[in-house]
Amino acid sequence: MKRLFTPEGEAALLVTMQRRPLLAFDFDGTLAPIVARPGDARVPAPVAHRLQRLAGRLPVAVVSGRRVHDVRPRLLFTPWRIVGNHGAEDEAEPDAPVVDLTPARAQLEASAAALRAAGVVVEDKGLSLALHYRLASDRDAAQRAIADVVNALPPSLAVFGGKMVVNIVAAQARDKADAVAALVAASGADAAVFVGDDVNDEPVFARPEPSWFTVRVGQDDPSSQARYFLDGPADLPRLLDRMLESLPGGMSDTLDSL
């Protein structure tokens, strides 16, 4: 990864923005700060204000691990599209393949007592399952309890980690890279900017699409295949300002007070 806020990085962003790309963003850890309780997450008003202005000029999408109906009221702006469940849930495509998580639900039910005792919170999102351990008093014990579950799952299911969470999805489910590709096609754009921060964003970063400008928030994973990185979430407003400045007419009203 290269630092975005360099002459080279900003020039590359400008070239992509001049193509009027799809703009796609992860939610937790990207648009909204990571919080102890997922129900408390919201997009900060200054970020939402910038995104609303961008959404008036370009197709803006949110691609989240949350359910669509969960993430929508947390945005404080109106995007063109929202895709949830790590790419598997798109309201615009109601005929998505059926996802069978029955084996995982059965294993979780059988292990419910052990998971509760370890402080693991299970979230069933319909098309995916999340095992949260951020609030566990002993995170090592929580991870061992989760490992006992996932090690018993069949090959028809896939497991990937995140920030104090382990996710279970169907192995054939669409991921975020599939979702971004579908959004690019649906929007009619010939380029995309994608900003994310976590393991489930790596399929987008790893996709060899030369017209995709990918940005990781934070440097916690040196092996990330994102093209550029921001130092942290505090840099996101600056990135959005650069996007607005690149559009015809630039930034017509000041954001200094936000």
Side-chain angles (χ1 to χ4, degrees):
M1 294 188 293
K2 300 178 181 179
R3 188 180 301 275
L4 176 56
F5 291 125
T6 63
E8 176 191 347
E10 294 199 41
L13 175 65
L14 177 60
V15 169
T16 300
M17 290 300 297
Q18 289 175 338
R19 298 176 68 173
R20 302 190 61 79
L22 165 82
L23 306 179
F25 302 87
D26 172 47
F27 179 72
D28 291 285
T30 300
L31 295 184
I34 296 290
V35 292
R37 292 174 173 78
D40 295 337
R42 297 287 187 281
V43 176
V47 171
H49 178 82
R50 289 163 166 85
L51 289 164
Q52 190 63 64
R53 293 184 60 208
L54 283 166
R57 310 285 295 278
L58 295 172
V60 174
V62 176
V63 185
S64 173
R66 294 176 181 249
R67 280 181 163 182
V68 170
H69 74 77
D70 179 19
V71 74
R72 190 187 304 280
R74 305 179 188 280
L75 297 176
L76 307 183
F77 78 101
T78 305
W80 167 63
R81 288 268 284 277
I82 303 173
V83 177
N85 271 293
H86 312 287
E89 179 191 5
D90 187 342
E91 286 185 325
E93 298 181 11
D95 297 326
V98 174
V99 171
D100 184 11
L101 298 179
T102 302
R105 291 190 177 98
Q107 188 61 39
L108 288 169
E109 183 176 356
S111 305
L115 291 170
R116 280 195 301 271
V120 177
V121 176
V122 177
E123 180 185 10
D124 190 333
K125 296 183 283 188
L127 299 179
S128 69
L129 299 161
L131 283 65
H132 301 274
Y133 59 93
R134 183 175 297 277
L135 297 179
S137 58
D138 183 341
R139 290 175 178 169
D140 289 338
Q143 289 178 289
R144 288 194 295 271
I146 292 172
D148 288 341
V149 172
V150 301
N151 288 340
L153 297 177
S156 60
L157 300 175
V159 177
F160 58 90
K163 294 179 178 177
M164 306 298 171
V165 64
V166 173
N167 301 285
I168 303 172
V169 298
Q172 81 278 13
R174 294 198 318 179
D175 61 21
K176 286 192 175 185
D178 298 323
V180 171
L183 290 168
V184 169
S187 69
D190 68 353
V193 177
F194 178 80
V195 187
D197 78 304
D198 208 349
V199 173
N200 67 343
D201 300 311
E202 284 299 325
V204 185
F205 300 152
R207 190 112 163 194
E209 296 285 352
S211 62
W212 290 10
F213 188 96
T214 55
V215 182
R216 185 180 177 99
V217 178
Q219 304 178 61
D220 53 310
D221 183 3
S223 67
S224 175
Q225 296 187 64
R227 291 174 59 189
Y228 294 95
F229 70 88
L230 303 177
D231 286 332
D235 279 343
L236 184 62
R238 183 180 176 189
L239 171 58
L240 300 178
D241 285 348
R242 293 293 183 273
M243 291 177 172
L244 286 163
E245 290 165 359
S246 73
L247 299 174
M251 295 175 64
S252 58
D253 58 286
T254 181
L255 296 172
D256 291 344
S257 63
L258 297 176

